[in-house]
Amino acid sequence: MAEEQEKKTFDWLPEGMEPLADGEYDAIIMGTGLKECVISGLLSVQGMRVLQMDRNNYYGADCASLNLTNLYKKFNAGEPPESLGANRDFNVDLIPKFIMACGNLTKMLLHTKVTRYLEFKSIEGSYVYKGGKILKVPATPEEALRSPLMGLFEKRRFRSFLVYVDHYDETKPETHKGKDLTVMTMKELYVSFGLQPDTHQFISHAMCLELDDVHLDQPALATLKGLQVYCYSLSRYGTSPYIYPVYGLGGLPEGFSRLCAIHGGTFMLNRDVDEIMYNDKGEAIGVKSGNEMARAKFVVGDPSYFPKEKVRQTGQIVRCVCFLNHPIPNCGDLESVQIIIPGPQVNRKNDIFVCSIASSHSVSASGVYIAIVSTKMEGDDADKEVVPGLALLGHIMQRFTMVATTYEPMSDGNSDKCYISSSFDASSHFEADVDDLLSLYKRVSGKDLDMNINADSVEADY
């Protein structure tokens, strides 16, 4: 049997080349970012033979969580000061994001049972920046009536709007109240409740998590569904709609990698891909690394593994990682918060996102708070882009700034068997990124991922 396998492996190998790992696979995944690891986990559960490679010597790629030494090394910042605490106490995300408690990423974690490898804690507060102040996003209709975000009569209109959203069911016309949200725009829906433009902005950016104002002139249904997920998630924990894994986001790709490995997947860290191999039709059939090759029916990966002609640039994102010795001011002394600064509040098109986490989530030493400010760049000066966010933080002990160019695939991958994920966006949540992940899964597998699975009914023991 071993001889037959060896012979089969060598059938397609050029002279002088050796097989990479087992040689033949159904899929080769390049990179161990969250999207790539979710795909490898899902494919392996379906019985596919998967090889996953990463040029780095750690899991997570751009989604990794770094300890203090690796963080300072990445930014060429010298040795970390001893005053910050022990190296092992830090797990600093390179792409900081929170998880919607009842969103699609949580559903993936539950029905793949990756949750058994992770522990989550809720984020303590969700805030929005308005008129130069940090204001709490109301967690209930009753809290909305006490919120300084709106005047008295606007609060009542807002409460009526929330009740409508809560009762709305796409399959039950009696809950639509005569409004066809496949035609009515989001702006028209707001106006139908008498809500003012300032309130439109607050709801859209802080609750619907829209990144700009384009959605206002589009059919309201998709935005309303996003608002429902926010409200459901909020009602689950009562303080904010977000959860976050203890020890940082790096645990997410590691969890899906473990799922893949349990189902026979092969992993190779610290191994770059030198070349993607194609057949005469221009379809990817494998990869070359050094003098070794592996073949597969298709390849999946993040944009950095593919030739420039297969991806297009979509912009740049600036992210600042800051160490504080205090919670973010004006947020009730909470360790973990998200603050959304709607772009129009600071004369920008794109929102600025501020989030903080600390030792309660096991990402820093006691007394050290990690605050991250991120936004899509609109000019050439990265520091200038994040000024409104940094201004909210108070005294900053240490700051690391990175600018990342973002990409998306030129095609869906069906013609060349190269299935490419899009870069992570600037937001401090995963909602748009999960949409890309679901799209990637459909392109790879040819079918939608069933997001209606009840986790309690999944009996397979991983």
Side-chain angles (χ1 to χ4, degrees):
M1 191 73 180
E3 291 179 4
E4 288 179 15
Q5 180 66 34
E6 186 177 344
K7 186 176 180 181
K8 180 181 177 184
T9 302
F10 279 90
D11 280 349
W12 42 263
L13 271 178
E15 189 175 345
M17 297 294 292
E18 296 181 7
L20 178 62
D22 291 339
E24 287 191 340
Y25 295 89
D26 294 307
I28 295 174
I29 316 287
M30 299 178 292
T32 55
L34 176 60
K35 296 178 186 180
E36 289 70 37
C37 287
V38 171
I39 295 295
S40 69
L42 293 171
L43 295 182
S44 64
V45 167
Q46 295 170 18
M48 288 194 181
R49 299 190 68 209
V50 175
L51 169 64
Q52 190 159 6
M53 306 169 63
D54 196 304
R55 62 172 67 93
N56 301 303
N57 61 358
Y58 52 82
Y59 287 100
D62 288 340
C63 302
S65 301
L66 303 184
N67 62 28
L68 212 51
T69 301
N70 288 337
L71 180 72
Y72 272 72
K73 183 178 179 181
K74 178 177 177 62
F75 288 96
N76 297 313
E79 291 294 319
E82 292 184 9
S83 59
L84 284 176
N87 189 45
R88 65 179 179 274
D89 290 335
F90 286 81
N91 295 285
V92 183
D93 297 331
L94 294 180
I95 297 183
K97 286 178 179 283
F98 294 152
I99 301 167
M100 190 67 71
C102 297
N104 282 334
L105 180 55
T106 303
K107 290 181 181 179
M108 290 182 193
L109 290 163
L110 286 169
H111 81 231
T112 55
K113 297 190 177 180
V114 168
T115 46
R116 67 173 49 191
Y117 311 132
L118 299 164
E119 179 186 351
F120 293 89
K121 287 187 176 181
S122 62
I123 296 301
E124 295 172 291
S126 181
Y127 293 81
V128 63
Y129 180 88
K130 182 185 177 186
K133 296 180 179 179
I134 301 174
L135 301 173
K136 189 178 187 300
V137 177
T140 64
E142 290 69 31
E143 196 173 282
L145 294 177
R146 301 191 301 269
S147 172
L149 275 163
M150 296 160 279
L152 177 61
F153 294 110
E154 186 74 351
K155 289 174 183 177
R156 292 174 178 172
R157 293 188 285 264
F158 175 59
R159 188 182 189 283
S160 297
F161 174 74
L162 285 185
V163 170
Y164 174 80
V165 171
D166 183 52
H167 290 155
Y168 183 91
D169 185 329
E170 190 177 1
T171 64
K172 297 178 180 178
E174 65 270 20
T175 67
H176 300 179
K177 306 299 182 186
K179 304 180 197 297
D180 183 357
L181 300 191
T182 63
V183 177
M184 177 182 269
T185 67
M186 197 65 204
K187 184 184 293 182
E188 290 169 341
L189 179 61
Y190 286 143
V191 171
S192 73
F193 281 89
L195 295 170
Q196 300 301 306
D198 266 7
T199 309
H200 305 180
Q201 185 186 104
F202 147 63
I203 298 172
S204 285
H205 292 261
M207 299 179 75
C208 303
L209 304 180
E210 295 288 351
L211 303 180
D212 50 41
D213 288 340
V214 174
H215 69 285
L216 289 173
D217 298 315
Q218 296 175 340
L221 184 59
T223 301
L224 180 133
K225 284 183 173 179
L227 179 55
Q228 285 183 326
V229 172
Y230 184 97
C231 292
Y232 296 159
S233 299
L234 191 55
S235 65
R236 182 172 177 181
Y237 288 101
T239 55
S240 89
Y242 304 108
I243 57 176
Y244 180 84
V246 176
Y247 302 115
L249 291 176
L252 294 178
E254 287 180 16
F256 281 99
S257 297
R258 188 170 176 182
L259 177 66
C260 179
I262 288 172
H263 285 80
T266 302
F267 287 83
M268 303 184 78
L269 297 181
N270 212 17
R271 178 63 74 98
D272 205 354
V273 174
D274 295 326
E275 185 180 352
I276 299 172
M277 312 301 294
Y278 301 89
N279 61 16
D280 294 340
K281 299 178 183 177
E283 299 170 331
I285 56 171
V287 300
K288 183 187 293 185
S289 178
N291 70 330
E292 296 180 318
M293 285 178 59
R295 286 188 66 151
K297 297 170 184 174
F298 57 87
V299 298
V300 181
D302 72 53
S304 70
Y305 285 90
F306 292 89
K308 289 183 179 179
E309 62 268 18
K310 291 193 179 294
V311 295
R312 70 168 68 90
Q313 185 172 331
T314 55
Q316 288 186 305
I317 292 172
V318 55
R319 296 184 177 96
C320 286
V321 178
C322 304
F323 288 164
L324 314 178
N325 58 3
H326 55 83
I328 295 179
N330 305 309
C331 294
D333 287 332
L334 300 180
E335 282 196 2
S336 57
V337 300
Q338 176 185 254
I339 306 168
I340 293 178
I341 306 176
Q345 286 286 326
V346 287
N347 299 314
R348 288 175 53 84
K349 182 189 294 184
N350 295 282
D351 294 354
I352 299 174
F353 297 87
V354 182
C355 60
S356 75
I357 35 182
S359 57
S360 60
H361 285 86
S362 300
V363 296
S364 67
S366 178
V368 178
Y369 300 79
I370 301 173
I372 302 101
V373 181
S374 56
T375 190
K376 186 171 183 177
M377 288 187 60
E378 298 177 4
D380 298 324
D381 187 343
D383 289 333
K384 185 178 178 181
E385 302 277 338
V386 291
V387 163
L390 295 175
L392 304 181
L393 302 185
H395 174 66
I396 299 171
M397 295 193 295
Q398 176 73 52
R399 180 177 128 198
F400 304 96
T401 301
M402 50 191 153
V403 176
T405 301
T406 56
Y407 298 92
E408 66 181 9
M410 293 286 284
S411 70
D412 61 13
N414 291 326
S415 60
D416 59 7
K417 304 302 178 188
C418 292
Y419 298 101
I420 308 172
S421 62
S422 295
S423 304
F424 284 92
D425 67 17
S427 72
S428 53
H429 52 77
F430 279 108
E431 294 312 285
D433 298 304
V434 172
D435 290 342
D436 177 56
L437 177 50
L438 291 171
S439 166
L440 180 62
Y441 177 81
K442 184 173 183 178
R443 286 184 275 136
V444 169
S445 66
K447 57 190 177 185
D448 287 312
L449 183 62
D450 184 1
M451 299 304 290
N452 295 312
I453 293 176
N454 182 342
D456 294 335
S457 68
V458 180
E459 297 175 358
D461 185 11
Y462 299 138

